[in-house]
Amino acid sequence: MTTLSHERYCDEVARQIDLLRTTLTGADLSVTVPTCPDWTLAQLVRHTGGAVRWSERLVATRAEKDIPEEDIPELGGPETDDPVALDAWLARTAELGASTFRAAGAEAPVWSWSGDHRAGFWARRMTHELVIHRADAAIAAGVAYEVEPDVAADAIDEWLDLVALAQRTDPEDDAAELKGAGRSIHLHATDAPEGLDAEWLIEFGDEGFTWRRGHAKATVALRGPLTEVLLAFYRRRPLDGGHVEVLGERALLDFWLERASFV
């Protein structure tokens, strides 16, 4: 279930890339990204833009299976790490991705690695791919990071769905270990605007876990501003960095964070 409209996801793909371009202004593209230490900032940018290029081709061609990299125009970006060239590539990527997703509509049939084989899956997935990697870029560049509350909340929803998907479909994935009846995790955003339910309850069972939005007592709670809860839950901020508060059995939250990985 999605909480934002397809049109909103299409808008956000363009908006998040524009915000990423602003984040990169004046940044040293050769620095290592602390939250993705295998990449420099330039490599992070190429990965993120390339993901949008890949998904755009899937949607544009109504692909019935994955497509080879050589069939994706400008997948890797410009030949050099010239900031002007990278910025221009990102601008073209934003326009291309948003317009293709919008023209297709949410229900167009498209291959994906998930159980959702519709274009709407890719618009949502790329929105949150960009939201999180923009955070990585902001941390590397040492600049402020903000995200709209409803987008941040939907990113947590999607993350939980993806971890649940991994648990259901891949017994070798670390997510398969996220079970054990009688334990639970509560996420609580302390600054959510009126009308936005920004609390989550994750309940462990014998076969796996389930989740829902809502308030409830749990084995452990992660509390803080919504953006900070998002970043901590995605392992972009340390739990003891002063941005969030952990109440209860922290070991269970650590257990989750160690086994729930995707982006």
Side-chain angles (χ1 to χ4, degrees), residues 163 166-167 170-177 259-261:
V163 177
Q167 185 176 78
D170 185 359
E172 300 301 317
D173 193 281
D174 288 344
E177 299 180 34
R259 288 159 179 79
S261 60

Side-chain angles (χ1 to χ4, degrees), residues 89-124:
W89 175 68
L90 284 175
R92 294 192 300 274
T93 301
E95 172 60 27
L96 184 64
S99 62
T100 294
F101 296 153
R102 186 174 289 111
E107 301 300 320
V110 180
W111 174 88
S112 81
W113 43 257
S114 79
D116 187 349
H117 300 289
R118 300 174 299 164
F121 167 82
W122 288 113
R124 187 189 195 201

Side-chain angles (χ1 to χ4, degrees), residues 179-188 200-205 209-210 212 214-223 245-256:
K179 57 187 177 181
R183 301 183 297 171
S184 55
I185 298 171
H186 178 220
L187 309 179
H188 183 180
W200 293 260
L201 180 67
I202 304 164
E203 295 179 290
F204 292 76
F209 73 91
T210 59
R212 60 179 171 85
H215 178 82
K217 287 190 66 65
T219 308
V220 62
L222 174 64
R223 299 178 75 254
E245 180 181 16
V246 178
L247 304 172
E249 297 182 19
R250 173 171 168 167
L252 178 59
L253 184 56
D254 288 334
F255 177 80
W256 170 280

Side-chain angles (χ1 to χ4, degrees), residues 42-234:
Q43 290 171 323
L44 173 75
V45 171
R46 291 178 185 277
H47 164 83
T48 306
V52 176
R53 292 268 174 172
W54 170 58
S55 58
E56 185 276 334
R57 279 293 87 194
L58 291 171
V59 173
T61 61
R62 304 296 191 269
E64 296 180 354
K65 61 181 180 179
D66 198 2
I67 55 181
E69 292 186 359
E70 56 267 26
D71 291 345
I72 305 171
E74 292 193 274
L75 174 65
E79 293 184 1
T80 71
D81 289 344
D82 172 63
V84 174
L86 276 171
D87 181 71
W89 175 68
L90 284 175
R92 294 192 300 274
T93 301
E95 172 60 27
L96 184 64
S99 62
T100 294
F101 296 153
R102 186 174 289 111
E107 301 300 320
V110 180
W111 174 88
S112 81
W113 43 257
S114 79
D116 187 349
H117 300 289
R118 300 174 299 164
F121 167 82
W122 288 113
R124 187 189 195 201
R125 176 82 285 280
M126 288 303 103
T127 292
H128 300 314
E129 176 89 358
L130 289 160
V131 163
I132 297 304
H133 283 322
R134 181 167 66 82
D136 293 324
I139 291 167
V143 299
Y145 173 80
E146 296 180 358
V147 60
E148 289 294 317
D150 58 346
V151 175
D154 189 66
I156 292 175
D157 284 356
E158 194 219 23
W159 180 240
L160 288 165
D161 284 342
L162 292 176
V163 177
L165 174 67
Q167 185 176 78
R168 291 194 308 271
T169 60
D170 185 359
E172 300 301 317
D173 193 281
D174 288 344
E177 299 180 34
L178 297 172
K179 57 187 177 181
R183 301 183 297 171
S184 55
I185 298 171
H186 178 220
L187 309 179
H188 183 180
T190 56
D191 64 344
E194 185 176 354
L196 178 64
D197 180 4
E199 297 188 59
W200 293 260
L201 180 67
I202 304 164
E203 295 179 290
F204 292 76
D206 290 334
E207 301 301 323
F209 73 91
T210 59
W211 71 272
R212 60 179 171 85
R213 287 210 200 180
H215 178 82
K217 287 190 66 65
T219 308
V220 62
L222 174 64
R223 299 178 75 254
L226 178 52
T227 296
E228 296 302 331
V229 170
L230 171 68
L231 294 179
F233 204 51
Y234 260 91

